[in-house]
Amino acid sequence: MDFAFSTEQLAFRDRVAEFARAELVDDVVPRDRDSQFSPELWAKCADFGLLSLAAGSKYSRHDDVDFLTALLAAEALGQHCPDNGLAFSVNAHVWTVQLPIVKFGTDEQKVRFLPPMCDGTMIGAHAITEPETGSDLYRMTTTAERVDGGYRLNGHKHYVSLAPIADIALVFALTDPEAGKWGVTAFLVEASAEGVTVGPNREKMGLRTVPFGDWTFENCFVPENQRLGPEGAGVSLSTSSLEWERCAILASQLGAMQRQLDDCIAYARSRRQFDKPIGQFQAVSHRIVEMKLRVETARLLLYKTGWLKQSGKNAMTEAALLKLHLAETFTASSLDAIRIHGARGYVSEFGIDRDARDAIGSTIYAGTSDIQRNIVARLLGL
């Protein structure tokens, strides 16, 4: 495993960092307070090429980017864009919807859906969770009954990121309820399809700039040419995609952790109490050391997993460990950042508390921390 990135990879990372500092540092505090997504910032991300990281030059006007370079870009985005919700939205759009189409879609599906996803005019959502089905995928009740020319979808998808503004959703439904995991099939469903009802944006604790809601299907006809992959391959498709997703969707959180670390070091040097900088107090300096340790261990796991995926190797264990470690360390460092800043960290106008609220969500989405522990334990033979 070679940790030396090429000059071209580092140059792309630096361009992303410069772009984020110049274009994506608006006042996120009021948008976070009001749960407002920014179409303007989304369009800027599309123009730069962040929305085409998985699709590349064949379906966009932007150059191809390998997976490790995409991870570098996502890390830089998280470090230099204070809106964790925007970074999450970009990664969710690219890695949970765009990438499955790239890997499993037909030529017709790729030509139809990827170009507008790359230019930002089509927003994608990943719809798998239901009111009574989260980690227990096989209890889903959304069904897809085969009919002439396609399928009829009936059911309800819950807690879907980007759902209120999405133009298309990757929807998982039962085509054969008796077949267990072989009875789940994936579909590309448009929000404009008859029988689709899109729910309102739900207020939530963190990641408030990411719209969040439900899609309901009532006798919604989906043409057969909008089935993604073979019938019954939904779980295999989801499992394959999750390795990439768990690696890429959290790369921006690593960048956010580096941003927290840099901010805390600067504050600990400038803030004085009892005639000396607070960084000279061991209670503060040790917290910052722990933050540094978390950043470094998370970075090693991220790029090891990315290297495995780019090399075509299995990374199920590493992806689960990465998801678990990044979620837990981002949460821990966010709480340490609040303690280091004291009352300033607790007051919302400075935005320090926002990282903590955003971080807690990472222990839940894309598989909870407890589910990641179960996955690793099973792969260890326990």
Side-chain angles (χ1 to χ4, degrees):
M1 185 168 57
D2 188 354
F3 285 86
F5 293 107
S6 69
T7 301
E8 292 76 16
Q9 288 174 315
L10 295 176
F12 185 72
R13 177 202 63 187
D14 292 343
R15 289 199 300 274
V16 173
E18 182 180 1
F19 160 71
R21 288 193 298 266
E23 302 291 344
L24 304 181
V25 189
D26 71 338
D27 190 356
V28 67
V29 172
R31 289 196 294 105
D32 175 77
R33 181 187 60 235
D34 299 333
S35 298
Q36 290 295 317
F37 174 82
S38 174
E40 295 79 15
L41 298 187
W42 182 260
K44 288 180 179 181
C45 290
D47 289 341
F48 183 85
L50 291 179
L51 300 188
S52 50
L53 289 175
S57 60
K58 188 173 182 179
Y59 302 101
S60 74
R61 57 184 176 83
H62 301 285
D63 294 336
D64 293 328
V65 174
D66 64 65
F67 189 54
L68 284 172
T69 305
L71 293 182
L72 279 170
E75 182 183 352
L77 177 65
Q79 182 175 352
H80 298 284
C81 170
D83 185 352
N84 296 319
L86 177 64
F88 177 89
S89 297
V90 169
N91 286 313
H93 171 85
V94 170
W95 303 112
T96 72
V97 187
Q98 186 181 109
L99 184 65
I101 297 174
V102 170
K103 290 196 165 295
F104 302 104
T106 64
D107 290 341
E108 178 189 358
Q109 289 169 344
K110 293 174 183 178
V111 169
R112 179 179 176 186
F113 297 118
L114 291 178
M117 290 189 74
C118 290
D119 68 24
T121 57
M122 177 178 283
I123 297 176
H126 185 275
I128 194 167
T129 301
E130 298 183 358
E132 302 301 326
T133 305
S135 301
D136 187 1
L137 175 64
Y138 306 134
R139 289 189 62 198
M140 73 168 58
T141 58
T142 298
T143 59
E145 180 185 2
R146 180 176 278 279
V147 296
D148 187 30
Y151 299 81
R152 290 282 180 192
L153 262 64
N154 285 279
H156 184 188
K157 294 298 181 180
H158 207 42
Y159 303 146
V160 179
S161 297
L162 296 170
I165 60 170
D167 303 287
I168 186 172
L170 175 56
V171 179
F172 293 83
L174 292 172
T175 45
D176 184 355
E178 304 301 319
K181 68 178 182 178
W182 304 115
V184 179
T185 303
F187 300 91
L188 297 167
V189 185
E190 294 170 277
S192 59
E194 186 176 352
V196 174
T197 300
V198 178
N201 186 27
R202 287 173 171 263
E203 293 188 12
K204 54 190 182 300
M205 178 181 179
L207 292 174
R208 293 175 179 172
T209 59
V210 184
F212 192 67
D214 299 10
W215 275 29
T216 302
F217 310 97
E218 187 174 355
N219 292 323
C220 172
F221 177 72
V222 181
E224 187 165 1
N225 63 8
Q226 288 181 218
R227 185 188 68 215
L228 186 64
E231 188 171 301
V235 170
S236 297
L237 185 154
S238 178
T239 300
S240 173
S241 297
L242 273 172
E243 281 190 37
W244 297 92
E245 175 191 348
R246 286 170 178 160
C247 188
I249 203 169
L250 294 179
S252 292
Q253 290 191 343
L254 174 60
M257 289 170 64
Q258 183 65 57
R259 167 168 46 83
Q260 287 177 327
L261 176 62
D262 294 341
D263 290 346
C264 286
I265 291 173
Y267 185 75
R269 286 173 173 169
S270 63
R271 172 70 168 170
R272 298 182 67 86
Q273 292 288 280
F274 305 102
D275 297 322
K276 59 183 178 180
I278 64 171
Q280 292 185 13
F281 292 100
Q282 194 175 74
V284 174
S285 64
H286 281 192
R287 284 197 181 104
I288 291 176
V289 170
E290 290 296 325
M291 294 174 73
K292 173 65 173 176
L293 179 61
R294 294 180 195 121
V295 167
E296 294 301 327
T297 55
R299 182 171 284 124
L300 288 169
L301 263 175
L302 174 68
Y303 288 107
K304 176 186 178 182
T305 308
W307 174 80
L308 287 170
K309 292 302 296 178
Q310 183 161 299
S311 302
K313 302 178 186 294
N314 181 279
M316 186 174 293
T317 300
E318 289 78 8
L321 286 171
L322 172 65
K323 169 64 172 65
L324 170 62
H325 188 63
L326 257 174
E328 297 294 328
T329 54
F330 186 30
T331 301
S333 288
S334 297
L335 294 175
D336 277 343
I338 291 174
R339 293 187 179 102
I340 290 167
H341 285 83
R344 181 185 177 91
Y346 195 66
V347 175
S348 294
E349 68 182 274
F350 299 106
I352 298 164
D353 70 306
R354 188 174 62 253
D355 280 337
R357 292 187 282 103
D358 294 344
I360 291 172
S362 67
T363 67
I364 300 171
Y365 62 71
T368 67
S369 289
D370 291 331
I371 285 295
Q372 305 312 315
R373 291 183 175 95
N374 287 347
I375 291 170
V376 175
R378 186 179 71 247
L379 293 171
L380 293 175
L382 301 176

